[in-house]
Amino acid sequence: IMTTHNRPVLLRERAIASVINQKKKPDFFVIVDDSDNPNDIQENKRTIEFAKKEMPLTKLMSFTTNGSQGAAYGWNLAAEKLLDTGSNPSDFFIAFLDDDDAWGENYLSECEDLAKRTQCDMISSFFHRIDFTFDIHPTFRKNRQRCKKLDRYR
């Protein structure tokens, strides 16, 4: 599940690119566009069409709100749409990705593997904040030492 709001470049170049690059593609990919800028909405539609072509085995659904409904509204809308597919909710995992974030190429497969191996209902993963010089932010570098075990599930 991904929500976006007026950030078409980040959506295209960071978030969706990281989903396309997953070694294990998602079965479903739901994008909720909460943009209120008509140009951004059009650019996002082009990006979503590109993603559909790049991931032909993934059922990609996209929805546009009336603008500025907020991320939580988008997450709930996406979850409702997933339930509307007729799939059994017990048979899938839901992963959330913001439009300005990215997943490592093994993110989905590692989270799924961990959940199955440990019989967890939920996985919360560690993240790295990258600053404008593309270095790991000092606050997170310090935390990384304490979270070594979790680091491989980012």
Side-chain angles (χ1 to χ4, degrees):
I1 293 176
M2 181 184 304
T3 59
T4 185
H5 180 79
N6 294 340
R7 297 194 282 198
V9 174
L10 286 171
L11 176 71
R12 178 183 64 246
E13 295 179 9
R14 187 178 295 171
I16 287 183
S18 78
V19 176
I20 289 170
N21 290 325
Q22 290 297 295
K23 289 191 175 174
K24 182 207 180 304
K25 302 289 189 261
D27 297 319
F28 294 92
F29 184 18
V30 185
I31 302 169
V32 178
D33 189 348
D34 194 37
S35 299
D36 53 14
N37 180 320
N39 293 330
D40 291 345
I41 293 169
Q42 287 308 310
E43 190 171 343
N44 290 342
K45 285 181 181 179
R46 288 190 294 274
T47 297
I48 292 165
E49 287 306 312
F50 171 79
K52 284 180 180 179
K53 291 176 186 167
E54 292 294 309
M55 299 185 300
L57 301 178
T58 297
K59 181 166 175 46
L60 196 154
M61 300 177 280
S62 64
F63 305 94
T64 303
T65 68
N66 292 327
S68 298
Q69 300 292 316
Y73 176 86
W75 299 328
N76 288 327
L77 175 64
E80 287 176 21
K81 297 301 182 179
L82 280 172
L83 290 173
D84 288 346
T85 65
S87 299
N88 182 345
S90 299
D91 291 341
F92 58 82
F93 297 98
I94 296 177
F96 296 92
L97 180 63
D98 290 338
D99 61 0
D100 63 339
D101 293 334
W103 288 332
E105 65 184 11
N106 293 312
Y107 179 80
L108 290 177
S109 61
E110 288 179 356
C111 286
E112 181 180 33
D113 178 59
L114 179 65
K116 287 179 177 178
R117 217 176 45 240
T118 61
Q119 298 181 346
C120 289
D121 292 331
M122 186 189 100
I123 301 294
S124 176
S125 60
F126 186 72
F127 68 93
H128 293 289
R129 178 177 171 201
I130 308 296
D131 65 22
F132 290 108
T133 62
F134 297 98
D135 289 330
I136 296 174
H137 193 273
T139 303
F140 296 100
R141 188 175 294 116
K142 180 177 148 188
N143 290 339
R144 183 176 186 180
Q145 298 305 315
R146 290 184 286 186
C147 299
K148 278 256 189 241
K149 276 180 29 184
L150 298 176
D151 188 42
R152 66 178 201 208
Y153 300 108
R154 70 180 190 287

mmCIF file with all atom_site columns, all heavy atoms in Angstrom, residues 103-119:
data_model
loop_
_atom_site.group_PDB
_atom_site.id
_atom_site.type_symbol
_atom_site.label_atom_id
_atom_site.label_alt_id
_atom_site.label_comp_id
_atom_site.label_asym_id
_atom_site.label_entity_id
_atom_site.label_seq_id
_atom_site.pdbx_PDB_ins_code
_atom_site.Cartn_x
_atom_site.Cartn_y
_atom_site.Cartn_z
_atom_site.occupancy
_atom_site.B_iso_or_equiv
_atom_site.pdbx_formal_charge
_atom_site.auth_seq_id
_atom_site.auth_comp_id
_atom_site.auth_asym_id
_atom_site.auth_atom_id
_atom_site.pdbx_PDB_model_num
ATOM 1   N N   . TRP A 1 103 ? 12.423 0.659   -0.656 1.00 0.00 ? 103 TRP A N   1
ATOM 2   C CA  . TRP A 1 103 ? 12.742 -0.634  -0.063 1.00 0.00 ? 103 TRP A CA  1
ATOM 3   C C   . TRP A 1 103 ? 13.986 -1.188  -0.731 1.00 0.00 ? 103 TRP A C   1
ATOM 4   O O   . TRP A 1 103 ? 14.178 -1.018  -1.937 1.00 0.00 ? 103 TRP A O   1
ATOM 5   C CB  . TRP A 1 103 ? 11.617 -1.625  -0.304 1.00 0.00 ? 103 TRP A CB  1
ATOM 6   C CG  . TRP A 1 103 ? 10.358 -1.405  0.465  1.00 0.00 ? 103 TRP A CG  1
ATOM 7   C CD1 . TRP A 1 103 ? 10.221 -0.814  1.683  1.00 0.00 ? 103 TRP A CD1 1
ATOM 8   C CD2 . TRP A 1 103 ? 9.041  -1.796  0.077  1.00 0.00 ? 103 TRP A CD2 1
ATOM 9   N NE1 . TRP A 1 103 ? 8.909  -0.833  2.079  1.00 0.00 ? 103 TRP A NE1 1
ATOM 10  C CE2 . TRP A 1 103 ? 8.162  -1.432  1.107  1.00 0.00 ? 103 TRP A CE2 1
ATOM 11  C CE3 . TRP A 1 103 ? 8.518  -2.442  -1.036 1.00 0.00 ? 103 TRP A CE3 1
ATOM 12  C CZ2 . TRP A 1 103 ? 6.799  -1.672  1.064  1.00 0.00 ? 103 TRP A CZ2 1
ATOM 13  C CZ3 . TRP A 1 103 ? 7.171  -2.685  -1.097 1.00 0.00 ? 103 TRP A CZ3 1
ATOM 14  C CH2 . TRP A 1 103 ? 6.311  -2.303  -0.060 1.00 0.00 ? 103 TRP A CH2 1
ATOM 15  N N   . GLY A 1 104 ? 14.800 -1.913  0.035  1.00 0.00 ? 104 GLY A N   1
ATOM 16  C CA  . GLY A 1 104 ? 15.871 -2.693  -0.557 1.00 0.00 ? 104 GLY A CA  1
ATOM 17  C C   . GLY A 1 104 ? 15.252 -3.806  -1.394 1.00 0.00 ? 104 GLY A C   1
ATOM 18  O O   . GLY A 1 104 ? 14.100 -4.186  -1.175 1.00 0.00 ? 104 GLY A O   1
ATOM 19  N N   . GLU A 1 105 ? 15.998 -4.334  -2.340 1.00 0.00 ? 105 GLU A N   1
ATOM 20  C CA  . GLU A 1 105 ? 15.428 -5.281  -3.307 1.00 0.00 ? 105 GLU A CA  1
ATOM 21  C C   . GLU A 1 105 ? 14.913 -6.584  -2.690 1.00 0.00 ? 105 GLU A C   1
ATOM 22  O O   . GLU A 1 105 ? 14.108 -7.286  -3.312 1.00 0.00 ? 105 GLU A O   1
ATOM 23  C CB  . GLU A 1 105 ? 16.429 -5.587  -4.410 1.00 0.00 ? 105 GLU A CB  1
ATOM 24  C CG  . GLU A 1 105 ? 17.667 -6.303  -3.947 1.00 0.00 ? 105 GLU A CG  1
ATOM 25  C CD  . GLU A 1 105 ? 18.690 -6.505  -5.047 1.00 0.00 ? 105 GLU A CD  1
ATOM 26  O OE1 . GLU A 1 105 ? 18.540 -5.906  -6.128 1.00 0.00 ? 105 GLU A OE1 1
ATOM 27  O OE2 . GLU A 1 105 ? 19.631 -7.265  -4.810 1.00 0.00 ? 105 GLU A OE2 1
ATOM 28  N N   . ASN A 1 106 ? 15.334 -6.928  -1.498 1.00 0.00 ? 106 ASN A N   1
ATOM 29  C CA  . ASN A 1 106 ? 14.863 -8.148  -0.831 1.00 0.00 ? 106 ASN A CA  1
ATOM 30  C C   . ASN A 1 106 ? 13.872 -7.866  0.293  1.00 0.00 ? 106 ASN A C   1
ATOM 31  O O   . ASN A 1 106 ? 13.536 -8.766  1.060  1.00 0.00 ? 106 ASN A O   1
ATOM 32  C CB  . ASN A 1 106 ? 16.054 -8.931  -0.259 1.00 0.00 ? 106 ASN A CB  1
ATOM 33  C CG  . ASN A 1 106 ? 16.918 -9.482  -1.349 1.00 0.00 ? 106 ASN A CG  1
ATOM 34  O OD1 . ASN A 1 106 ? 16.439 -10.078 -2.301 1.00 0.00 ? 106 ASN A OD1 1
ATOM 35  N ND2 . ASN A 1 106 ? 18.217 -9.262  -1.224 1.00 0.00 ? 106 ASN A ND2 1
ATOM 36  N N   . TYR A 1 107 ? 13.426 -6.642  0.407  1.00 0.00 ? 107 TYR A N   1
ATOM 37  C CA  . TYR A 1 107 ? 12.592 -6.242  1.540  1.00 0.00 ? 107 TYR A CA  1
ATOM 38  C C   . TYR A 1 107 ? 11.359 -7.134  1.696  1.00 0.00 ? 107 TYR A C   1
ATOM 39  O O   . TYR A 1 107 ? 11.111 -7.680  2.767  1.00 0.00 ? 107 TYR A O   1
ATOM 40  C CB  . TYR A 1 107 ? 12.175 -4.775  1.401  1.00 0.00 ? 107 TYR A CB  1
ATOM 41  C CG  . TYR A 1 107 ? 11.288 -4.311  2.526  1.00 0.00 ? 107 TYR A CG  1
ATOM 42  C CD1 . TYR A 1 107 ? 11.827 -3.949  3.748  1.00 0.00 ? 107 TYR A CD1 1
ATOM 43  C CD2 . TYR A 1 107 ? 9.903  -4.257  2.371  1.00 0.00 ? 107 TYR A CD2 1
ATOM 44  C CE1 . TYR A 1 107 ? 11.018 -3.536  4.798  1.00 0.00 ? 107 TYR A CE1 1
ATOM 45  C CE2 . TYR A 1 107 ? 9.091  -3.849  3.405  1.00 0.00 ? 107 TYR A CE2 1
ATOM 46  C CZ  . TYR A 1 107 ? 9.651  -3.494  4.614  1.00 0.00 ? 107 TYR A CZ  1
ATOM 47  O OH  . TYR A 1 107 ? 8.846  -3.096  5.654  1.00 0.00 ? 107 TYR A OH  1
ATOM 48  N N   . LEU A 1 108 ? 10.570 -7.272  0.655  1.00 0.00 ? 108 LEU A N   1
ATOM 49  C CA  . LEU A 1 108 ? 9.326  -8.039  0.775  1.00 0.00 ? 108 LEU A CA  1
ATOM 50  C C   . LEU A 1 108 ? 9.601  -9.507  1.069  1.00 0.00 ? 108 LEU A C   1
ATOM 51  O O   . LEU A 1 108 ? 8.937  -10.109 1.916  1.00 0.00 ? 108 LEU A O   1
ATOM 52  C CB  . LEU A 1 108 ? 8.481  -7.889  -0.490 1.00 0.00 ? 108 LEU A CB  1
ATOM 53  C CG  . LEU A 1 108 ? 7.852  -6.524  -0.714 1.00 0.00 ? 108 LEU A CG  1
ATOM 54  C CD1 . LEU A 1 108 ? 7.107  -6.491  -2.037 1.00 0.00 ? 108 LEU A CD1 1
ATOM 55  C CD2 . LEU A 1 108 ? 6.928  -6.133  0.435  1.00 0.00 ? 108 LEU A CD2 1
ATOM 56  N N   . SER A 1 109 ? 10.563 -10.094 0.381  1.00 0.00 ? 109 SER A N   1
ATOM 57  C CA  . SER A 1 109 ? 10.838 -11.513 0.600  1.00 0.00 ? 109 SER A CA  1
ATOM 58  C C   . SER A 1 109 ? 11.379 -11.762 2.003  1.00 0.00 ? 109 SER A C   1
ATOM 59  O O   . SER A 1 109 ? 11.014 -12.755 2.641  1.00 0.00 ? 109 SER A O   1
ATOM 60  C CB  . SER A 1 109 ? 11.782 -12.064 -0.468 1.00 0.00 ? 109 SER A CB  1
ATOM 61  O OG  . SER A 1 109 ? 13.012 -11.397 -0.440 1.00 0.00 ? 109 SER A OG  1
ATOM 62  N N   . GLU A 1 110 ? 12.222 -10.867 2.513  1.00 0.00 ? 110 GLU A N   1
ATOM 63  C CA  . GLU A 1 110 ? 12.759 -11.046 3.856  1.00 0.00 ? 110 GLU A CA  1
ATOM 64  C C   . GLU A 1 110 ? 11.688 -10.859 4.926  1.00 0.00 ? 110 GLU A C   1
ATOM 65  O O   . GLU A 1 110 ? 11.659 -11.610 5.909  1.00 0.00 ? 110 GLU A O   1
ATOM 66  C CB  . GLU A 1 110 ? 13.926 -10.098 4.097  1.00 0.00 ? 110 GLU A CB  1
ATOM 67  C CG  . GLU A 1 110 ? 15.166 -10.506 3.326  1.00 0.00 ? 110 GLU A CG  1
ATOM 68  C CD  . GLU A 1 110 ? 16.341 -9.565  3.531  1.00 0.00 ? 110 GLU A CD  1
ATOM 69  O OE1 . GLU A 1 110 ? 16.180 -8.527  4.234  1.00 0.00 ? 110 GLU A OE1 1
ATOM 70  O OE2 . GLU A 1 110 ? 17.416 -9.858  2.996  1.00 0.00 ? 110 GLU A OE2 1
ATOM 71  N N   . CYS A 1 111 ? 10.818 -9.888  4.750  1.00 0.00 ? 111 CYS A N   1
ATOM 72  C CA  . CYS A 1 111 ? 9.728  -9.699  5.716  1.00 0.00 ? 111 CYS A CA  1
ATOM 73  C C   . CYS A 1 111 ? 8.790  -10.896 5.711  1.00 0.00 ? 111 CYS A C   1
ATOM 74  O O   . CYS A 1 111 ? 8.393  -11.393 6.776  1.00 0.00 ? 111 CYS A O   1
ATOM 75  C CB  . CYS A 1 111 ? 8.952  -8.418  5.420  1.00 0.00 ? 111 CYS A CB  1
ATOM 76  S SG  . CYS A 1 111 ? 9.833  -6.912  5.871  1.00 0.00 ? 111 CYS A SG  1
ATOM 77  N N   . GLU A 1 112 ? 8.442  -11.378 4.537  1.00 0.00 ? 112 GLU A N   1
ATOM 78  C CA  . GLU A 1 112 ? 7.550  -12.534 4.451  1.00 0.00 ? 112 GLU A CA  1
ATOM 79  C C   . GLU A 1 112 ? 8.209  -13.773 5.066  1.00 0.00 ? 112 GLU A C   1
ATOM 80  O O   . GLU A 1 112 ? 7.578  -14.511 5.833  1.00 0.00 ? 112 GLU A O   1
ATOM 81  C CB  . GLU A 1 112 ? 7.173  -12.809 3.002  1.00 0.00 ? 112 GLU A CB  1
ATOM 82  C CG  . GLU A 1 112 ? 6.225  -13.977 2.860  1.00 0.00 ? 112 GLU A CG  1
ATOM 83  C CD  . GLU A 1 112 ? 5.841  -14.257 1.427  1.00 0.00 ? 112 GLU A CD  1
ATOM 84  O OE1 . GLU A 1 112 ? 6.669  -14.037 0.517  1.00 0.00 ? 112 GLU A OE1 1
ATOM 85  O OE2 . GLU A 1 112 ? 4.707  -14.714 1.218  1.00 0.00 ? 112 GLU A OE2 1
ATOM 86  N N   . ASP A 1 113 ? 9.475  -13.978 4.751  1.00 0.00 ? 113 ASP A N   1
ATOM 87  C CA  . ASP A 1 113 ? 10.195 -15.125 5.301  1.00 0.00 ? 113 ASP A CA  1
ATOM 88  C C   . ASP A 1 113 ? 10.246 -15.051 6.826  1.00 0.00 ? 113 ASP A C   1
ATOM 89  O O   . ASP A 1 113 ? 9.999  -16.041 7.520  1.00 0.00 ? 113 ASP A O   1
ATOM 90  C CB  . ASP A 1 113 ? 11.610 -15.178 4.714  1.00 0.00 ? 113 ASP A CB  1
ATOM 91  C CG  . ASP A 1 113 ? 12.416 -16.330 5.286  1.00 0.00 ? 113 ASP A CG  1
ATOM 92  O OD1 . ASP A 1 113 ? 11.972 -17.488 5.140  1.00 0.00 ? 113 ASP A OD1 1
ATOM 93  O OD2 . ASP A 1 113 ? 13.478 -16.056 5.882  1.00 0.00 ? 113 ASP A OD2 1
ATOM 94  N N   . LEU A 1 114 ? 10.552 -13.888 7.365  1.00 0.00 ? 114 LEU A N   1
ATOM 95  C CA  . LEU A 1 114 ? 10.617 -13.709 8.812  1.00 0.00 ? 114 LEU A CA  1
ATOM 96  C C   . LEU A 1 114 ? 9.260  -13.960 9.462  1.00 0.00 ? 114 LEU A C   1
ATOM 97  O O   . LEU A 1 114 ? 9.155  -14.640 10.479 1.00 0.00 ? 114 LEU A O   1
ATOM 98  C CB  . LEU A 1 114 ? 11.121 -12.312 9.167  1.00 0.00 ? 114 LEU A CB  1
ATOM 99  C CG  . LEU A 1 114 ? 11.216 -12.002 10.652 1.00 0.00 ? 114 LEU A CG  1
ATOM 100 C CD1 . LEU A 1 114 ? 12.253 -12.881 11.337 1.00 0.00 ? 114 LEU A CD1 1
ATOM 101 C CD2 . LEU A 1 114 ? 11.551 -10.525 10.860 1.00 0.00 ? 114 LEU A CD2 1
ATOM 102 N N   . ALA A 1 115 ? 8.212  -13.437 8.871  1.00 0.00 ? 115 ALA A N   1
ATOM 103 C CA  . ALA A 1 115 ? 6.868  -13.627 9.427  1.00 0.00 ? 115 ALA A CA  1
ATOM 104 C C   . ALA A 1 115 ? 6.482  -15.105 9.440  1.00 0.00 ? 115 ALA A C   1
ATOM 105 O O   . ALA A 1 115 ? 5.928  -15.603 10.426 1.00 0.00 ? 115 ALA A O   1
ATOM 106 C CB  . ALA A 1 115 ? 5.851  -12.818 8.631  1.00 0.00 ? 115 ALA A CB  1
ATOM 107 N N   . LYS A 1 116 ? 6.790  -15.801 8.369  1.00 0.00 ? 116 LYS A N   1
ATOM 108 C CA  . LYS A 1 116 ? 6.454  -17.232 8.305  1.00 0.00 ? 116 LYS A CA  1
ATOM 109 C C   . LYS A 1 116 ? 7.309  -18.043 9.272  1.00 0.00 ? 116 LYS A C   1
ATOM 110 O O   . LYS A 1 116 ? 6.811  -18.945 9.941  1.00 0.00 ? 116 LYS A O   1
ATOM 111 C CB  . LYS A 1 116 ? 6.626  -17.743 6.883  1.00 0.00 ? 116 LYS A CB  1
ATOM 112 C CG  . LYS A 1 116 ? 5.543  -17.259 5.948  1.00 0.00 ? 116 LYS A CG  1
ATOM 113 C CD  . LYS A 1 116 ? 5.765  -17.768 4.540  1.00 0.00 ? 116 LYS A CD  1
ATOM 114 C CE  . LYS A 1 116 ? 4.643  -17.335 3.621  1.00 0.00 ? 116 LYS A CE  1
ATOM 115 N NZ  . LYS A 1 116 ? 4.877  -17.776 2.234  1.00 0.00 ? 116 LYS A NZ  1
ATOM 116 N N   . ARG A 1 117 ? 8.591  -17.738 9.330  1.00 0.00 ? 117 ARG A N   1
ATOM 117 C CA  . ARG A 1 117 ? 9.516  -18.478 10.181 1.00 0.00 ? 117 ARG A CA  1
ATOM 118 C C   . ARG A 1 117 ? 9.191  -18.301 11.666 1.00 0.00 ? 117 ARG A C   1
ATOM 119 O O   . ARG A 1 117 ? 9.300  -19.233 12.451 1.00 0.00 ? 117 ARG A O   1
ATOM 120 C CB  . ARG A 1 117 ? 10.941 -18.000 9.897  1.00 0.00 ? 117 ARG A CB  1
ATOM 121 C CG  . ARG A 1 117 ? 11.977 -19.056 9.936  1.00 0.00 ? 117 ARG A CG  1
ATOM 122 C CD  . ARG A 1 117 ? 13.370 -18.593 9.560  1.00 0.00 ? 117 ARG A CD  1
ATOM 123 N NE  . ARG A 1 117 ? 13.763 -17.347 10.184 1.00 0.00 ? 117 ARG A NE  1
ATOM 124 C CZ  . ARG A 1 117 ? 14.087 -16.243 9.508  1.00 0.00 ? 117 ARG A CZ  1
ATOM 125 N NH1 . ARG A 1 117 ? 14.078 -16.228 8.204  1.00 0.00 ? 117 ARG A NH1 1
ATOM 126 N NH2 . ARG A 1 117 ? 14.449 -15.148 10.137 1.00 0.00 ? 117 ARG A NH2 1
ATOM 127 N N   . THR A 1 118 ? 8.805  -17.110 12.044 1.00 0.00 ? 118 THR A N   1
ATOM 128 C CA  . THR A 1 118 ? 8.546  -16.815 13.452 1.00 0.00 ? 118 THR A CA  1
ATOM 129 C C   . THR A 1 118 ? 7.063  -16.855 13.800 1.00 0.00 ? 118 THR A C   1
ATOM 130 O O   . THR A 1 118 ? 6.702  -16.659 14.954 1.00 0.00 ? 118 THR A O   1
ATOM 131 C CB  . THR A 1 118 ? 9.096  -15.422 13.817 1.00 0.00 ? 118 THR A CB  1
ATOM 132 O OG1 . THR A 1 118 ? 8.437  -14.442 13.010 1.00 0.00 ? 118 THR A OG1 1
ATOM 133 C CG2 . THR A 1 118 ? 10.598 -15.358 13.611 1.00 0.00 ? 118 THR A CG2 1
ATOM 134 N N   . GLN A 1 119 ? 6.226  -17.071 12.798 1.00 0.00 ? 119 GLN A N   1
ATOM 135 C CA  . GLN A 1 119 ? 4.770  -17.076 12.956 1.00 0.00 ? 119 GLN A CA  1
ATOM 136 C C   . GLN A 1 119 ? 4.264  -15.763 13.543 1.00 0.00 ? 119 GLN A C   1
ATOM 137 O O   . GLN A 1 119 ? 3.318  -15.732 14.323 1.00 0.00 ? 119 GLN A O   1
ATOM 138 C CB  . GLN A 1 119 ? 4.317  -18.276 13.779 1.00 0.00 ? 119 GLN A CB  1
ATOM 139 C CG  . GLN A 1 119 ? 4.664  -19.590 13.126 1.00 0.00 ? 119 GLN A CG  1
ATOM 140 C CD  . GLN A 1 119 ? 4.201  -20.778 13.921 1.00 0.00 ? 119 GLN A CD  1
ATOM 141 O OE1 . GLN A 1 119 ? 3.839  -20.695 15.083 1.00 0.00 ? 119 GLN A OE1 1
ATOM 142 N NE2 . GLN A 1 119 ? 4.203  -21.929 13.275 1.00 0.00 ? 119 GLN A NE2 1
#
